[in-house]
Each structure stands twice: as structure tokens, then as C-alpha cells.
Amino acid sequence: MDFGRNFFEIFNLPAAYSLDRELLRSRYMSLQKEFHPDRHILSSDTEKRLAMQFITEINSGYETLSDNLQRAIYLLELNGNKVEENPKLDNEVLLKQIEFREDLETLENRSESRKSLGSFRTEIEAQIENIQIALEQAFLADRFGVARQLVYEQQFFFKLERSLERIEENSAGI
Amino acid sequence: MALLQITEPGKAQDPHSKKIAIGIDLGTTNSIVAGIREGEPFALPDETGRYLLPSVVSYRQNSVVVGHEAFDLANLDPANTIISIKRLMGRALGDPVIAESNLPYKFIKRSETVPRIETSFGTVTPTEVSSEIIRKLLERSFETFEKEADGAVITVPAYFDDSQRQATKDAATLCGLQVLRLINEPTAAALAYGLDSGNEGLVAIYDLGGGTFDISLLRMEKGVFQVLATAGDAALGGDDFDAVICQWFLDSVGWEKGLTAVENRGLVLEARKAKEDLTNVETTQIIFRLEETNYRAKLTRSVLRDLLKPFLDKTLNICRKVFRDASADLDDIDNVVLVGGSTKSLIIRETVSEFFGKKSLDHIDPEKVVAIGAAIQADLLVGNKGDSEVLLLDVLPLSLGLEMMGGLAEKIIPRNTPIPANQTKEFTTHKDGQTSMKIHVVQGERDMVSDCRSLAEFELKGIPPMVAGAARVRVSFQVDADGLLSVSARELTAGIEAGVEVKPSYGLTDSEITEMLTSSFEMAEEDAILRMISEARLEAARVMEALAVALKEDAEMLDVGEVSLLEEGMRKLGELVKKGDHKAINEGIDLLSKASEEFAALRMDKAINKALAGQKINDIEQEI
């Protein structure tokens, strides 16, 4: 079912990258209190189904908007800048990514202490932080093309972070 | 299936008309049922005042014995006495939990999937064994309230996957019990604590039972219990501690021969007792007779601590993972709640409070707290509480995905996504002229399909022959509020559709359930028909009452003709109800439901608009 509203409209928030998290959260909660399936146990089957579809949409909207990267992707798509699966990247960016990948592989193959993993993590986190700031500025200036490139860079670092987490989990024996 | 009756919202209810809603904690070692009386939740005792029902079912030649009596038979007749059945729920026969364990049961090799145990009573599945436990608990409820329960909330470990959840729900269905909702055990415990003491903030629930471990992080505020992340191990618990104590005992006394299943069962029970003793004393002794000789070994708390350490370290690592998933720090935690029989152990309590740097909440009996929380939720769901603010928001515990080329699992809905949730993804063919596509649904965190849990497999046929990559197949996943999944696939260029309710291969088919229902009730045909008529009547009453309320509120949304059409439909259905032919009643219900579908959609739209408009008014107030 198409409720005819985008996620920003559902939560009655301006379609912008900067976000009032408190407001998003309080609206999410009040919509939950009204439409959660637990509130519709006694409704007719059709109403149950519709409420479930709407609450699914609310959940998905909340997840999308509260996540910095997903919100960026969603906003870009609303503005007609589809984020590609396999984008073309600048050589400079590609080289940087290859270096980080190599560093990770070296770390994975060496049975060294967790300390080097830790400092690598700090480095990744700093990159993510910097890209995040650049992303906010790009959206403020309506520079969607730039924002999209930044999204691609950010996606890479998130993937890298996940790989790192996996290495940490393996070494911790989870 | 018994259905709920409807009362108009907001109207004060006659206390005698309150519905009987119960909470059931179906545990690995013990099960428990709780209910509500005069607004207060309480665990229901048996006739001798005991709350815990050992989750043990013993199959005799002509009868089924459940609970304490069955527990006493566990040693004497292990092949026919099933303990810790929860560990087998929703698992395949080839699953390591079954295949690698030294269980004294006779598994039938006939089916590759559902484990079937041969007993002197006949062949039983884990779902049926569990349903015997539920049936026993329902007897307690009947004794206490002097009428049948209208509905139940049943708890499952947060880390249970789809097939384990489905198997649990099926077990209740087998007893004819209406399942209002499946909720996660830690969430239920949080509800019991949250309402009990008005705690707010970030809460960690450490739930270590007989066979499962769960850790959940919840945020509690203004009556909303929001699960942020959950993790666990569906095969780690007190049973493992017992096993490691047994091994330690055999090593200590120098026994190398291995044990028969009967001896093993006996030693496990001794080990369990020793483990429990060490909470109160520093040292205990295990004495066990093997081949006419008494062997004895002294077990101290510090030895036990060493034996348990690998398991407890594993739980703490899982705790670290859940913090990472929720992007939270240990310092952010306001409260730690202990749940599950194993957390009664002193060693475990010490370990947990050391890790969290906080004393844990345990003033509600950790063995009762889950059932109590479930009863509170059941009471809310049937509307006994009126307009309550309390709401549970839970998440998907394990990622759901599809098998891709090369045996890789592609995640469709990641773990810790709030439920209900849906997600669609488009795929394409990889060969020219390919006319069908296999959809293999899996659950788990690993990259390879072979390391994940296989939930269901189905085929989308009739794709028009095209060049590779030209077909577009959209696969939709929908997870409901019980955490149960349904999947559908659609080829977009030709519009071919296929779908499954994810009834895993380890579960039971609907027809198997129907068959069991009939045979287990041993219901005479007349009784069965009477039951169907009364169910159809109840359902008709429910539909008519819901529609009457809707018309009273929103008749102006329809034109006069539409209103009289619906009223006519209700009148006709009312006549059918009087005549009492259940098939005709069910057809009438379907007709009326279809006729009112548009109206329901309009009403939902209005509710949504109202809710969204309400936000704007609040904003203005805030700004002023």
C-alpha cells in the first residue's frame, strides 16, 4: 500500500539532511502508540492489515532517517540523484581505499595484539567523522553531486569498519 | 480456535466480564504460567502450591505424565521421558544439537527433517511434547480461574530463529490455545520490572536459563519499552554447566569407559544438584554409583568457577557485541536485570555484576519474572487495562537473507531491525532463457548459506524466457509483530507470483497440525462440528461488532447507499448466525469483510491523517 507520503512527511519533518533527533523520536513514539499491531488486536482483519502495513512503513522510515548514511541516500534519491551499486570513483579516492584495504589485510594476517587493531579503528573512525562533516556541508549547499560522492566514500569506510569488527570478534572468540 | 470478544473501547467493564489472559514461560528446565487477578500479576500454583512445572514429559503405555511426576521417572525410564525439549524445538534431525548429543531417545530416521521420537505411547515431535507442557499449564489456569483462558502470550528466547518461534506457536495451537503474541523473554522481564518499579533509562537484561542465553538492551521511557539490540546463543545454558560438571566428575574419579544413557541422565541430575548447592555452601560432594561401586568427588565453589568460566566468558563476549550493535557503552546502563534459573547461582551473579559494574535487580524471582511480564502483556492485549500507555517495541534477533550465486547469503533484513518490518529486493536471471528461480530463505549472520539456518525454499516458475539479466524478480520479506516471516516473489515483466508463509522444513505442515489437533482431542465428530459452529458464531459477532463501532464513528465517510449495503450485510450475517450452519456463517463473514474493506481503508487513512495533524498542533504548542 502506498501511503502517498515520503518518510519526512510521515514524521512531519523538513526534507533536509540536518535532523532534530528528539523530534523524530517523539513522533516515532506517538505514531507507535497509535498504530502498533498490539493496539489493533481487537480491530477488524482489514484494519489490522492496514495498521501493520503503516507501522512497517513507520519503522522503515525511522530506521532510514535516524541513520546518517541511509538518510543521505534517501534524500539524494528524493532529489533525483540515485545512489549506484557500483559507482565510478576518482582515482585518488580509489587509491586511498586500496591502501586502507591492504592495511586491514595485513592486520588480519598478523596475529598481533589488539592494540594495532585499536589504532586502525581510531583511524577509520576519524575518516568517517570527516566525511560526515563534509556531507552535512554539501547538503547545506544543495551540492547533491558532491554529497553522492561522499556517500560512496562513506559506504566504503562503513564496510571497512564492519570487516574490522569481524576480525575483532574472531580474535575475541565470539 | 477460541476468539476474543470485543468490548467497546473506553467503556468501563464489569469486573466479571474481564477476559482471562495468561502468560506462559515455556522454559528448558521449568515452565511457569502467570495470570492477573484484581490488576495484580501472580504465578499460578499447582494443587500443592508449587509454581514451577518441570518441563519434563514422560510417555507411558496408556498415558502421558507431565511435570514433577515425570521428573521422577527421568532416571527410571529415560528413553520415554523427555527433558529439555526446548533445545530441540524447530531444529532438524541433522542439527548438531541433536546429532552430537548423547540423548537417550529413540529418534526415527524416517523423516530427514522433523525429529520424531519413538516412545511407548507412540511417535512424538518436539512440538507435541511442548504442547503437553502447555496443556498442563492450562489445567492450572482453569483450576485457578474456573474458566478457559481466552488467550495467552507465550515467551521465547530473544535469540530464537523463525523456525523455533513457529514451532512454539504450533505447540500452543495444538492445545487449542489462542496465541495473542509471542514475546521475547528478556522483553517480558523488562516489562515486569519496568511496571513494578517505574525504572526508566537504559536497561540490560541478562537472561541465562537451562538451555539458552539472551542479552537485550532496552530503553524504557514513558511506558514504551524499546528493544535496541539483542544477541544470544540458543544453545548455551545450565545444561552445559551440568554436562561439564559430569565430565569433571568422571575425570576426577578416573572413569574412562563412557556412560550408558541411563547413567548419563542420573549423573546429570546429581551434577545439577551439586551446582545448586554451591550457591549456599563452599563445598559439596557428588556421589554416584557406577557398576556396583560408589564413586565420590568433592566439588568446591572455586573449581566450579573454573569449570563455568569458558561459558560465562562467552556470554560476556556476546554482551560486548550487543553494546556495539546498539552503539551504547557499559557506562550508559542504568540497570541490570537478571533472568532465568541459572542466574540464581552465586558465581553467575558475581560475574555479571563485576562485568557491568553494577548490582543487578533481582527482587522479582528470576524464575517467575518472565511469566509475570507475559501475563501483564496478555492482559494489556485483550484490553483489560483500557487505554494503557504501555507498549513493547521489539527487534528481529537474527538477519534474514537469501541464497545468492556461489552459496553466499545476501542479507535482506539485518538483525536488530525494529519489527514489524518489510524489505524488498530485486534480482535477475543469470542464464539466457531461464524460466524459473529458486528462492532459498536463510537466517543468520554468517556469509555462507551453509553456515546459516535454512528457513524455506520455494520456486518461482513461469518466468518468460529472456536473455540473462533481463528478468526482474522482486522478493518481499515481511516480518510480523511475533517476529514471524512471510516471503513472496514476483516477476515484474510477466507478473508471475509465488509466496510462502515461512513454514520451515523442520516445522509441521498445516495438515499435520490439523491431523494432530483432531487426534489429540480425540474429538467426536459431533463435538467437532459444534466447536466449529461456536467458533464461526464468535467470529461473526466479532466482525459485526467491529463494523458497528466503525459505522457509529465514521458513517459520514460513506454515502447513504454504502451504509445501507453494510447494514444489510450485517443483518444477513445475523440471520445466518441464528441458523447455525458454520459454512454459511463463514461465507457470510467473508462477504461482509470484503464489502467493508474500502471503508476500513478510509478509516485507516483518516486515523493516519489525524495522527499526523496532531503532531502539528503539538508543535505550535511547543513553540508558544
Side-chain angles (χ1 to χ4, degrees):
Chain A
M1 176 157 138
D2 179 17
F3 292 91
R5 294 179 178 87
N6 71 37
F7 292 154
F8 290 103
E9 286 165 347
I10 285 179
F11 293 101
N12 191 25
L13 293 165
Y17 190 66
S18 71
L19 180 76
D20 183 340
R21 283 180 186 275
E22 281 300 306
L23 204 54
L24 173 64
R25 191 176 160 75
S26 80
R27 289 191 176 151
Y28 175 65
M29 289 303 174
S30 53
L31 288 171
Q32 284 284 357
K33 283 188 176 173
E34 190 120 352
F35 296 103
H36 192 278
D38 286 358
R39 293 283 195 259
H40 291 270
I41 288 238
L42 305 179
S43 305
S44 75
D45 290 349
T46 315
E47 283 182 350
K48 264 187 204 167
R49 198 182 64 236
L50 293 172
M52 163 126 127
Q53 282 170 345
F54 187 55
I55 207 71
T56 303
E57 188 81 356
I58 289 168
N59 274 337
S60 153
Y62 182 70
E63 287 285 283
T64 304
L65 296 191
S66 52
D67 183 90
N68 285 337
L69 184 60
Q70 284 192 53
R71 185 172 70 257
I73 294 170
Y74 186 73
L75 196 55
L76 282 170
E77 282 177 7
L78 278 186
N79 285 299
N81 291 271
K82 197 164 163 38
V83 172
E84 312 277 336
E85 292 256 347
N86 296 301
K88 259 182 84 177
L89 296 174
D90 293 343
N91 278 341
E92 196 189 325
V93 173
L94 271 176
L95 279 176
K96 192 166 110 186
Q97 294 190 350
I98 290 166
E99 270 176 42
F100 269 99
R101 271 267 154 232
E102 283 172 356
D103 286 352
L104 184 79
E105 274 165 32
T106 322
L107 275 175
E108 193 174 5
N109 296 329
R110 268 190 318 204
S111 55
E112 263 187 35
S113 67
R114 288 198 200 169
K115 202 180 162 195
S116 46
L117 284 175
S119 63
F120 190 59
R121 169 176 279 279
T122 317
E123 211 176 320
I124 294 176
E125 279 166 0
Q127 292 286 342
I128 289 173
E129 175 93 37
N130 287 339
I131 296 171
Q132 180 61 31
I133 292 167
L135 199 54
E136 280 161 24
Q137 286 166 345
F139 274 114
L140 264 182
D142 286 342
R143 299 179 63 189
F144 297 119
V146 175
R148 182 160 64 176
Q149 287 305 315
L150 289 164
V151 162
Y152 296 140
E153 287 188 46
Q154 196 70 309
Q155 282 176 324
F156 169 79
F157 282 107
F158 277 134
K159 257 186 220 150
L160 201 64
E161 198 181 30
R162 272 199 299 278
S163 310
L164 184 65
E165 271 167 17
R166 210 164 284 188
I167 295 172
E168 285 172 341
E169 281 176 15
N170 287 341
S171 74
I174 294 178
Chain B
M1 207 178 293
L3 282 153
L4 300 168
Q5 293 160 332
I6 294 265
T7 41
E8 219 169 301
K11 263 194 182 169
Q13 287 175 26
D14 171 13
H16 301 290
S17 80
K18 286 220 168 179
K19 286 177 273 295
I20 307 300
I22 54 174
I24 292 179
D25 173 7
L26 208 51
T28 307
T29 319
N30 293 296
S31 295
I32 194 159
V33 56
I36 308 279
R37 181 177 277 156
E38 284 158 15
E40 287 301 314
F42 67 109
L44 310 188
D46 67 4
E47 63 284 355
T48 58
R50 293 175 296 201
Y51 299 104
L52 295 179
L53 177 77
S55 303
V56 185
V57 180
S58 192
Y59 289 93
R60 324 303 301 156
Q61 206 111 47
N62 296 308
S63 64
V64 182
V65 182
V66 182
H68 294 277
E69 291 165 56
F71 184 83
D72 296 336
L73 291 165
N75 257 331
L76 301 170
D77 189 7
N80 290 306
T81 306
I82 322 289
I83 65 169
S84 299
I85 191 62
K86 191 174 180 178
R87 288 202 148 200
L88 308 191
M89 289 292 273
R91 291 193 188 269
L93 192 52
D95 192 295
V97 169
I98 299 175
E100 290 166 17
S101 60
N102 182 17
L103 293 170
Y105 318 130
K106 202 167 154 195
F107 286 102
I108 292 182
K109 293 275 187 278
R110 173 168 64 103
S111 101
E112 278 290 286
T113 50
V114 184
R116 289 171 199 275
I117 301 167
E118 195 166 321
T119 72
S120 18
F121 189 76
T123 308
V124 296
T125 63
T127 302
E128 288 173 291
V129 177
S130 288
S131 81
E132 294 294 346
I133 299 168
I134 297 175
R135 190 165 294 139
K136 191 81 179 174
L137 294 171
L138 286 178
E139 283 171 21
R140 270 191 203 183
S141 162
F142 190 80
E143 293 291 313
T144 311
F145 296 110
E146 293 173 342
K147 62 184 262 209
E148 303 243 5
D150 293 291
V153 166
I154 300 185
T155 60
V156 289
Y159 217 53
F160 253 22
D161 65 27
D162 196 81
S163 31
Q164 293 168 306
R165 283 167 199 266
Q166 190 65 59
T168 306
K169 201 171 179 181
D170 290 346
T173 309
L174 275 183
C175 310
L177 175 63
Q178 158 101 340
V179 181
L180 299 165
R181 188 70 81 226
L182 294 178
I183 65 172
N184 292 327
E185 287 159 10
T187 316
L191 185 56
Y193 269 101
L195 294 186
D196 169 71
S197 42
N199 291 309
E200 298 233 317
L202 195 62
V203 182
I205 318 276
Y206 183 98
D207 179 357
L208 189 58
T212 56
F213 169 68
D214 279 329
I215 172 80
S216 290
L217 291 187
L218 287 104
R219 185 175 298 288
M220 299 191 197
E221 62 181 333
K222 299 180 201 124
V224 180
F225 295 68
Q226 187 189 16
V227 179
L228 300 179
T230 191
D233 188 330
L236 192 167
D239 286 357
D240 298 296
F241 307 161
D242 301 341
V244 79
I245 296 169
C246 289
Q247 193 51 53
W248 167 86
F249 175 83
L250 295 174
D251 293 345
S252 310
V253 302
W255 184 267
E256 286 166 358
K257 267 195 267 179
L259 298 180
T260 66
V262 180
E263 287 167 342
N264 190 58
R265 172 70 64 79
L267 184 56
V268 164
L269 297 177
E270 287 301 316
R272 190 179 291 175
K273 195 175 156 294
K275 175 185 75 180
E276 287 165 8
D277 287 347
L278 285 179
T279 289
N280 302 313
V281 295
E282 279 284 347
T283 308
T284 188
Q285 202 172 38
I286 299 178
I287 306 170
F288 195 67
R289 198 170 176 79
L290 287 165
E291 292 180 0
E292 310 294 309
T293 311
N294 276 335
Y295 290 89
R296 56 188 76 212
K298 201 172 89 176
L299 181 61
T300 64
R301 205 180 273 167
S302 100
V303 169
L304 182 60
R305 200 179 309 246
D306 291 343
L307 290 175
L308 301 193
K309 192 168 188 301
F311 297 105
L312 297 183
D313 283 351
K314 203 169 170 192
T315 69
L316 299 183
N317 274 333
I318 297 172
C319 290
R320 289 188 188 99
K321 180 171 130 188
V322 90
F323 275 95
R324 201 153 52 218
D325 279 356
S327 312
D329 286 322
L330 268 172
D331 305 338
D332 300 337
I333 291 288
D334 295 296
N335 276 305
V336 181
V337 171
L338 291 182
V339 186
S342 292
T343 63
K344 286 194 160 184
S345 155
L346 180 74
I347 292 171
I348 291 160
R349 303 160 87 86
E350 284 173 355
T351 308
V352 173
S353 57
E354 194 184 320
F355 177 79
F356 286 100
K358 269 201 175 56
K359 213 177 142 356
S360 41
L361 292 180
D362 56 5
H363 56 270
I364 307 181
D365 185 339
E367 284 179 321
K368 288 184 197 162
V369 65
V370 167
I372 293 214
I376 294 171
Q377 172 73 344
D379 199 47
L380 287 169
L381 290 180
V382 297
N384 282 347
K385 278 263 192 271
D387 287 340
S388 168
E389 285 286 285
V390 175
L391 189 61
L392 297 186
L393 305 179
D394 223 315
V395 297
L396 181 74
L398 292 150
S399 304
L400 290 165
L402 285 177
E403 175 170 357
M404 307 305 293
M405 288 290 296
L408 284 172
E410 162 97 6
K411 293 197 171 71
I412 307 289
I413 307 185
R415 68 167 187 260
N416 293 324
T417 299
I419 54 172
N422 75 355
Q423 196 58 256
T424 57
K425 209 135 195 175
E426 277 183 27
F427 298 95
T428 189
T429 45
H430 81 280
K431 270 190 199 140
D432 288 344
Q434 187 177 337
T435 57
S436 70
M437 195 182 260
K438 188 186 79 172
I439 313 279
H440 183 198
V441 185
V442 297
Q443 188 163 29
E445 307 312 317
R446 308 279 294 275
D447 290 333
M448 298 304 294
V449 162
S450 51
D451 295 328
C452 291
R453 190 62 196 279
S454 165
L455 291 181
E457 242 179 291
F458 64 102
E459 213 171 325
L460 181 69
K461 287 183 188 147
I463 302 174
M466 284 179 259
V467 290
R472 282 166 61 217
V473 174
R474 176 177 290 167
V475 181
S476 310
F477 280 51
Q478 172 79 49
V479 180
D480 69 14
D482 289 325
L484 295 173
L485 170 72
S486 53
V487 181
S488 63
R490 189 183 174 85
E491 204 289 311
L492 295 176
T493 54
I496 314 293
E497 194 151 359
V500 280
E501 285 254 328
V502 176
K503 279 271 178 179
S505 22
Y506 323 109
L508 303 164
T509 63
D510 277 334
S511 61
E512 274 179 301
I513 288 187
T514 316
E515 189 190 316
M516 286 177 190
L517 264 175
T518 354
S519 66
S520 71
F521 287 144
E522 284 169 13
M523 210 190 279
E525 202 176 336
E526 289 161 46
D527 290 346
I529 289 173
L530 280 178
R531 191 184 165 97
M532 281 189 272
I533 294 171
S534 100
E535 279 174 8
R537 281 184 163 149
L538 275 170
E539 173 70 4
R542 190 178 79 94
V543 169
M544 287 192 286
E545 208 159 338
L547 186 55
V549 171
L551 279 173
K552 203 168 150 195
E553 286 172 1
D554 289 317
E556 77 281 358
M557 292 177 144
L558 304 172
D559 62 40
V560 185
E562 288 166 325
V563 172
S564 57
L565 213 67
L566 290 177
E567 280 169 349
E568 178 63 13
M570 285 166 71
R571 199 185 55 75
K572 275 190 184 148
L573 184 55
E575 275 170 19
L576 291 171
V577 167
K578 274 186 214 144
K579 281 186 195 148
D581 172 354
H582 65 275
K583 278 187 194 143
I585 298 175
N586 285 332
E587 280 164 19
I589 292 171
D590 282 350
L591 273 175
L592 189 58
S593 301
K594 285 218 180 75
S596 60
E597 210 156 289
E598 183 67 25
F599 182 39
L602 284 171
R603 269 167 52 81
M604 183 56 63
D605 215 37
K606 179 185 154 192
I608 291 168
N609 280 325
K610 201 175 138 200
L612 298 183
Q615 293 175 352
K616 283 176 193 148
I617 293 164
N618 288 340
D619 294 347
I620 296 166
E621 281 169 359
Q622 274 173 16
E623 277 162 30
I624 293 166

